[in-house]
Amino acid sequence: MSARVDRRAFVHAFVAGLESDALVISGLGSPTYDLFAAGERPGNFYLWGAMGGAVPMGLGLALAQPRRPVVVLTGDGEQLMGIGSLATVGVQQPANLTIVVLDNGLYGETGGQRSHAGHATDLAAVAAACGIADVRRCDHLTHAGSLADAAAAMAGPVFARVLVDASEQERVLPPRDGAANKIAFRAALGLSTF
């Protein structure tokens, strides 16, 4: 069995190492709780309730904001829902996009059923097969710093499968007001907030 890392500690260390102008999109559920627990940042966008949408949104953002590092932080279940988006990332090759999949092998939002990643699907191998050259497997807290450095270097795209343990963490919920979240994120992008 592979080593697994505490998800909350990994995300905290990773986010602490990001450049201040990095934009971070989190997938629904635990990745959003982990990101918010690491500390509110203007460049965070919490993607409530759009399962499978984190990588497509991050890809669009990376293409629209090529001078800023863009990070997608999601879980294995959410990534499995949007698995086709990895092929589009492989075609587009956005240098500023880093995808971090927190893989506990479970569908946390629906009761902890074993996900395909918990069986035989290797999401890192899928990303590589989609044409993403920088694919990493992280299973130790010390990998968080080098992953943040890779995001800052913007020489990607980068895909990281982070093996996390399945322990239940406290739910730390960011605001659920979609309009307020959109306005705050637009401000972080330097766009009109209407």
Side-chain angles (χ1 to χ4, degrees), residues 32 36 40 45-48 172-181 184:
T32 284
F36 190 65
E40 176 66 337
F45 188 81
Y46 310 103
L47 200 56
W48 288 106
V172 183
L173 303 176
R176 288 185 169 181
D177 184 333
N181 290 341

Side-chain angles (χ1 to χ4, degrees), residues 19 21 39 53 61 71 73 76 84 105 114 117-118 128 140 150 153 165 174 179:
E19 299 288 322
D21 67 339
L61 189 60
V71 174
L73 181 67
D76 56 303
R114 202 166 163 195
H140 196 275
D165 65 41

Side-chain angles (χ1 to χ4, degrees), residues 36-72:
F36 190 65
E40 176 66 337
R41 308 171 54 255
N44 289 355
F45 188 81
Y46 310 103
L47 200 56
W48 288 106
M51 191 167 186
V55 169
M57 182 173 177
L59 173 60
L61 189 60
L63 295 173
Q65 298 283 328
R67 294 189 178 130
R68 296 180 74 169
V70 175
V71 174
V72 172

